Amino acid sequence: HFARGAAWNQTWPSMLQKDGYFVGHVGKWQFYSDNKKRFDWSKFYEGFHRYPLSHYPHYKNIAITADKNKEIPAEELAREDALRFLRQRPKHKPFALTTAFYPPKPVGISGEPGAQWTPKKEARAIYENMTIPEPYNMTHAFTLLPDFLQEPHTAAAAKFQERYSTETHYQEAMKNIYALITQVDDACKQIVDEIKRQGLYDNTMIIFTTDNGMFHGSHGLAGKWYPYQESIRVPLIIHDPRMSSAKKGTINDNLTLNVDLAETILGAAGLKPHEMMQGRDISDLYLPNKDTIDEKTAAEKSPWREEFFYEFSYPDSKTFIPSSNAVVQKKWKYIDWTGYNHEQLFNLENDPLEFTDVKYRMENSEILTSMRKSMAKYKKHFEDSRGEELPCTMINDAYWSVNPQTEKSV
């Protein structure tokens, strides 16, 4: 939706551009819709962990790690383009750049141990002599899932068989995944080093986060798609030069969401969010309230959210990826599996691994009723405010049609 027509004007890149920012995007994008018109500087690619050097001739004279097959690791390609953006940008303009790394997302459908991830040999060697601990009893955890999630034809169960079904599969997969994460980590360091080299580190907000978690064998599953903790929790690290020394390096356990990022970025630029935005500026959690003389943050003056609504709809198939909604709090999580008339309630303080559905326990009747009411409230709100239904799958299909070399993976 956001990438098409007038809706693009409601996004933070567009709003920054209108305020004079030079805005770029590098790497994974997934939407094909006149991308060249969306950013001042952009390079789009995704779908692989390596790319043929012949597709990127302008890199031949750059010191880049291309192996004997003349392939460029995906994170190095993204790193080099990020560095080019930083060096080529107009120096008289403020700037914003998104660098979206494809790794460590799996590629393809191979059932060979670790074959869906292809890190560099030197990164893989770091983990060669390690044994990666497996998640809590994967077999037992799987039997505790609702029956419809245990069906072998569901995406998460089938992907588990491809990726983690034996000890060798698990070890090879996780070592390759960790190696790819190490490569991304090194690429991020080099981008930050360039920002420091240009003397911009103390005047630049840097946000590191991801789009989703992965099960990696937890619950006897692979992939994402379900509202369990391993799937919906993601890292979030913010470097903000405005942050006090007392706040730097601290951990905050408030419930932040991806919808908060736009308002956080705009807030750092001194811009008000678009009225359609649904999040909150995360700096409210660590900056003093501008309207008071004390050191209390805005979140201390106006409390931060205590719960959020999760929605994942997969209308193409009820069984392949079951659709779900959830209301998530720090202590409680309520899940509604919409296609199966099935509910789950978890006490996350007592059961962080989400083993035990406690909806039938008498002592939880009040919280179950309350969570059901919250679910109904959120669903009505978002159904009432839902805008024009656009064929997003057509955007995706268009992307694949013009990038036939990219193999679909989930």
Side-chain angles (χ1 to χ4, degrees), residues 268-401:
L271 300 177
K272 293 183 178 180
H274 193 280
E275 61 182 6
M276 293 296 291
M277 291 179 176
Q278 301 171 338
R280 183 173 175 180
D281 188 340
I282 297 173
S283 72
D284 283 354
L285 292 171
Y286 58 79
L287 291 185
N289 192 336
K290 299 182 182 68
D291 300 326
T292 62
I293 60 174
D294 58 32
E295 289 299 310
K296 288 187 175 181
T297 65
E300 290 170 322
K301 295 288 187 179
S302 177
W304 196 258
R305 69 172 65 87
E306 296 183 350
E307 66 180 26
F308 65 89
F309 175 65
Y310 165 98
E311 180 182 32
F312 185 91
S313 177
Y314 192 79
D316 294 343
S317 172
K318 171 184 173 181
T319 58
F320 183 58
I321 303 179
S323 298
S324 60
N325 296 326
V327 176
V328 184
Q329 302 173 356
K330 287 186 180 180
K331 180 175 181 179
W332 296 98
K333 180 187 292 181
Y334 170 76
I335 302 173
D336 176 21
W337 298 95
T338 56
Y340 290 90
N341 192 30
H342 186 89
E343 301 172 300
Q344 290 184 291
L345 180 69
F346 295 101
N347 184 324
L348 299 177
E349 287 185 357
N350 297 335
D351 180 28
L353 302 181
E354 297 168 294
F355 270 173
T356 306
D357 180 0
V358 295
K359 67 175 179 293
Y360 291 125
R361 294 183 181 177
M362 290 297 296
E363 66 268 25
N364 296 329
S365 59
E366 288 188 12
I367 187 64
L368 179 60
T369 298
S370 174
M371 297 292 260
R372 285 170 173 167
K373 288 181 179 179
S374 290
M375 175 70 76
K377 175 192 70 175
Y378 285 120
K379 290 178 75 171
K380 184 178 188 306
H381 171 76
F382 289 111
E383 286 171 0
D384 289 348
S385 61
R386 201 178 298 276
E388 177 190 1
E389 290 292 334
L390 295 175
C392 287
T393 53
M394 290 180 62
I395 301 175
N396 194 271
D397 287 344
Y399 172 84
W400 297 114
S401 69

Side-chain angles (χ1 to χ4, degrees), residues 20 52 57 62 74 134 154 156 170 223 232 270 304 341 363-364:
I62 295 177
E134 292 187 1
T154 60
Y170 183 80
I232 66 174
W304 196 258
N341 192 30
E363 66 268 25
N364 296 329

Side-chain angles (χ1 to χ4, degrees), residues 52-94:
L53 185 59
S54 59
H55 290 187
Y56 301 93
H58 53 289
Y59 289 115
K60 288 183 177 178
N61 295 322
I62 295 177
I64 195 166
T65 307
D67 64 15
K68 63 181 181 181
N69 296 320
K70 302 299 182 183
E71 291 181 327
I72 305 175
E75 85 289 340
E76 292 196 8
L77 187 60
R79 177 202 68 200
E80 289 300 316
D81 278 327
L83 295 177
R84 290 175 68 220
F85 170 90
L86 290 171
R87 293 163 183 166
Q88 295 175 7
R89 63 184 174 82
K91 298 303 186 288
H92 64 284
K93 284 189 171 186

Side-chain angles (χ1 to χ4, degrees), residues 85-151:
F85 170 90
L86 290 171
R87 293 163 183 166
Q88 295 175 7
R89 63 184 174 82
K91 298 303 186 288
H92 64 284
K93 284 189 171 186
F95 67 90
L97 171 67
T98 303
T99 304
F101 298 99
Y102 191 82
K105 180 179 172 67
V107 174
I109 57 175
S110 174
E112 292 297 313
Q116 296 185 24
W117 301 269
T118 52
K120 295 186 293 188
K121 292 180 180 179
E122 55 268 36
R124 179 60 165 77
I126 296 172
Y127 304 96
E128 189 61 43
N129 295 320
M130 296 183 184
T131 298
I132 309 301
E134 292 187 1
Y136 48 89
N137 190 327
M138 292 187 287
T139 303
H140 177 60
F142 185 74
T143 66
L144 298 175
L145 294 171
D147 291 344
F148 52 87
L149 297 185
Q150 297 183 44
E151 293 293 333

Side-chain angles (χ1 to χ4, degrees), residues 222-240:
K224 42 191 178 182
W225 311 299
Y226 302 157
Y228 298 127
Q229 295 291 80
E230 297 88 353
S231 175
I232 66 174
R233 296 195 67 181
V234 299
L236 174 63
I237 303 171
I238 298 178
H239 163 76
D240 187 337

